[in-house]
Amino acid sequence: NSSLGRNMAPSSRPSSLLQVVAVLCLAGVAAGESGAPKPPIDFADFFNGNWTVETRSHSSSKGAEQSVTIGHYQMSKVEGRSGLQGMYWEDVLDPEAEGGMGRKRELWVRVDMDTPSSGVFYTAKVVEDEDAWAADYKRLFDIDFEAHANGARVSRGAWYGKKKGLYTLAITRQFNFELTIFTGDEGASGQNIQIMTARKPIPPKSLLMTYGPTVGIMVIFGASKLIKHFFGTQANKAAAVAAAGGGKKAQ
């Protein structure tokens, strides 16, 4: 018994158990990190929701002059149909509007999907007292995403706006995209470039994702205290029994 008690006191069993607990906690944290946002495949799922868009425009005919606008997409998936419908508008200062910010360049937006990663993007001017479904939609561009080796989804092709040109739409993160539009020519009108950088609010993390690592550390710390206390108590009892037995023999 005394031998067992002496062996248990300095034993490596507590540290081994702590290692197991630590590995399990770290595995939980790693599992949470593995759920990090990945490039989307289904464009309807990706584009669904509210987006804030910063557009920077540059014209070669105006030299280095640039204009910056802030706009918004508000999109929803269409029930019973593969696609989305919504609206785009740009912010404008308006002292009479609520919050001092009004809207300009309001457009209805419709996206018809042929496959999860290909379809057609339409826009139409917002006309007062006209329903979104009755609007005169014009084809703006076709989308057909390709997956790149780095995980990005990229679509490129012709731009059918008022000024014809080319576009590139790149999705590198789950809550961001960048649309680059090239229009014009090398003549008097010059070449124009618009870069639209969009972002969508990231959903709040769950309590597990937010406090998981902290809880894991607390579990490890608490487990170490309990294990040390348990094995320390057992060792003290074994030592006391051994001492008592030795005293009797001496008598």
Side-chain angles (χ1 to χ4, degrees):
N1 288 343
S2 60
S3 174
L4 177 61
R6 286 194 296 272
N7 289 338
M8 287 178 68
S11 173
S12 62
R13 289 182 183 177
S15 61
S16 299
L17 188 55
L18 282 176
Q19 289 175 357
V20 173
V21 175
V23 169
L24 290 174
C25 291
L26 290 174
V29 174
E33 291 177 349
S34 67
K38 293 180 174 58
I41 297 175
D42 190 321
F43 184 71
D45 284 342
F46 169 77
F47 198 39
N48 184 46
N50 299 326
W51 296 82
T52 299
V53 186
E54 181 184 89
T55 303
R56 295 183 176 272
S57 303
H58 176 80
S59 174
S60 61
S61 63
K62 298 180 181 179
E65 184 177 339
Q66 276 192 342
S67 64
V68 180
T69 59
I70 301 298
H72 305 271
Y73 280 107
Q74 193 174 69
M75 304 300 299
S76 301
K77 296 178 73 172
V78 180
E79 187 176 352
R81 187 169 63 85
S82 180
L84 305 102
Q85 188 143 4
M87 180 179 284
Y88 172 83
W89 72 90
E90 294 174 356
D91 292 337
V92 59
L93 292 174
D94 185 354
E96 297 182 0
E98 183 177 352
M101 194 68 68
R103 295 183 177 187
K104 68 174 183 178
R105 201 183 170 220
E106 291 182 297
L107 298 171
W108 294 117
V109 179
R110 194 183 86 209
V111 184
D112 294 342
M113 304 302 299
D114 300 319
T115 70
S117 59
S118 65
V120 184
F121 199 103
Y122 299 91
T123 59
K125 287 184 178 181
V126 173
V127 179
E128 191 175 356
D129 297 330
E130 183 179 61
D131 186 84
W133 292 101
D136 183 21
Y137 287 94
K138 298 285 194 299
R139 180 184 181 187
L140 193 59
F141 62 95
D142 300 338
I143 53 177
D144 189 5
F145 287 96
E146 296 178 348
H148 286 215
N150 62 358
R153 267 45 177 189
V154 179
S155 177
R156 56 173 62 89
W159 180 263
Y160 304 115
K162 280 186 177 181
K163 294 181 179 180
K164 305 298 186 286
L166 300 171
Y167 85 93
T168 298
L169 176 57
I171 299 171
T172 55
R173 297 181 181 179
Q174 190 173 351
F175 304 104
N176 302 80
F177 72 82
E178 186 170 279
L179 175 61
T180 305
I181 307 161
F182 304 89
T183 59
D185 52 41
E186 296 182 358
S189 62
Q191 295 176 322
N192 302 293
I193 299 176
Q194 281 187 312
I195 301 176
M196 303 176 70
T197 304
R199 67 183 184 278
K200 181 164 64 172
I202 299 176
K205 292 182 179 180
S206 65
L207 291 176
L208 179 62
M209 289 290 292
T210 303
Y211 299 106
T214 303
V215 172
I217 293 172
M218 292 175 64
V219 168
I220 294 173
F221 180 77
S224 68
K225 290 290 186 182
L226 289 173
I227 292 168
K228 287 180 180 178
H229 175 74
F230 173 77
F231 282 103
T233 302
Q234 294 297 317
N236 291 335
K237 286 182 179 179
V241 170
K248 289 180 179 180
K249 288 181 181 180
Q251 293 175 359

